[in-house]
Amino acid sequence: MRARHAESHLIERIGWLRAAVLGANDGLVSTASLIVGVAASAAAASDILVAGTAGLVAGAMSMAAGEYVSVSSQSDTERADLARERRELEQDPAAEREELAGIYVSRGLDHDLALKVADQLMARDALGAHARDELGISTFTTARPIQAALTSAATFSAGAAMPLLVAAVSPADYLVVSVSAASLTFLAVLGALGAQVGGAAIPRATARVAFWGALAMAVTAGIGHLVGKVV
């Protein structure tokens, strides 16, 4: 008998990877854009750093709260679906058996074999079988609000710290150029790392992240420049 071998699949990373990539990208783009926009308005260096720091803290808290609320809503929906499925299994197990077998038939099994598979899986864990094959809920995709919130806050802070540090050490006359160039470099690296971890195409992910980051900074700088003239 062949020994079982352990496998690690990319889907196992989807829970934390989504929050991490979103948090770091958002922190980097929003804070860099904020710094560039304020700097383009001819604000003092101290004001630029205050704005960037405030953006880091506020953004991290916003990301954490937003992820927690969003993922909690998903978790509530999953619990409600599981509670409904549990009631249906108690009230009409025969119909649930046929429903599960029908899913396996749609995947290519003949009806008799599908019934046998459904019987064996339901004998072991009926709710788990229906959660996985009927509802699409698995250990890889189950909503984890706390994990998502903490990951988003931490990665947002890490992403936002990059342009803030560049702004802190850059001469005032070159701050916009320095922050923009460094942020685009950071975004390209972030896009490549996210693609590598997630198994996606690195050039496409890198170009996508860099393009939208550059657009965000350009628009914010333009608006900051116009507002600075008016004020």
Side-chain angles (χ1 to χ4, degrees):
M1 182 177 180
R2 295 180 59 186
R4 295 179 59 187
H5 66 283
E7 291 184 347
S8 177
H9 295 284
L10 298 176
I11 190 65
E12 298 174 15
R13 306 170 181 172
I14 193 170
W16 62 265
L17 180 60
R18 172 187 169 276
V21 171
L22 177 63
N25 184 77
D26 195 15
L28 182 50
V29 172
S30 62
T31 305
S33 298
L34 178 61
I35 291 172
V36 169
V38 175
S41 69
S46 59
D47 294 334
I48 296 171
L49 293 178
V50 169
T53 302
L56 185 156
V57 175
M61 294 300 99
S62 177
M63 285 292 292
E67 279 293 313
Y68 184 82
V69 170
S70 175
V71 180
S72 291
S73 297
Q74 178 186 340
S75 181
D76 291 341
T77 301
E78 289 177 354
R79 283 197 296 268
D81 277 342
L82 289 174
R84 177 181 178 181
E85 200 63 36
R86 188 179 292 107
R87 289 194 303 270
E88 291 175 349
L89 284 167
E90 292 173 353
Q91 295 169 0
D92 196 350
E96 291 301 302
R97 171 179 178 257
E98 282 290 344
E99 184 177 30
L100 193 61
I103 294 172
Y104 302 141
V105 169
S106 68
R107 294 178 182 174
L109 299 184
D110 63 63
H111 189 256
D112 289 340
L113 180 56
L115 285 174
K116 292 179 181 178
V117 172
D119 287 338
Q120 292 188 27
L121 291 177
M122 290 180 67
R124 181 176 182 181
D125 182 7
L127 183 61
H130 281 269
R132 181 179 59 254
D133 294 324
E134 181 183 347
L135 303 178
I137 300 174
S138 70
T139 56
F140 300 142
T141 59
T142 298
R144 297 179 177 86
I146 296 294
Q147 181 193 64
L150 293 178
T151 300
S152 293
T155 54
F156 183 99
S157 298
M162 297 177 187
L164 189 58
L165 289 174
V166 174
V169 300
S170 295
D173 294 341
Y174 300 100
L175 192 146
V176 172
V177 174
S178 298
V179 171
S180 299
S183 297
L184 287 176
T185 301
F186 293 145
L187 281 170
V189 172
L190 177 62
L193 287 175
Q196 184 175 22
V197 173
I202 292 178
R204 179 183 299 178
T206 302
R208 181 174 57 219
V209 171
F211 170 78
W212 288 108
L215 181 62
M217 285 185 283
V219 171
T220 309
I223 294 174
H225 181 68
L226 291 175
V227 172
K229 282 188 174 182
V230 173
V231 175

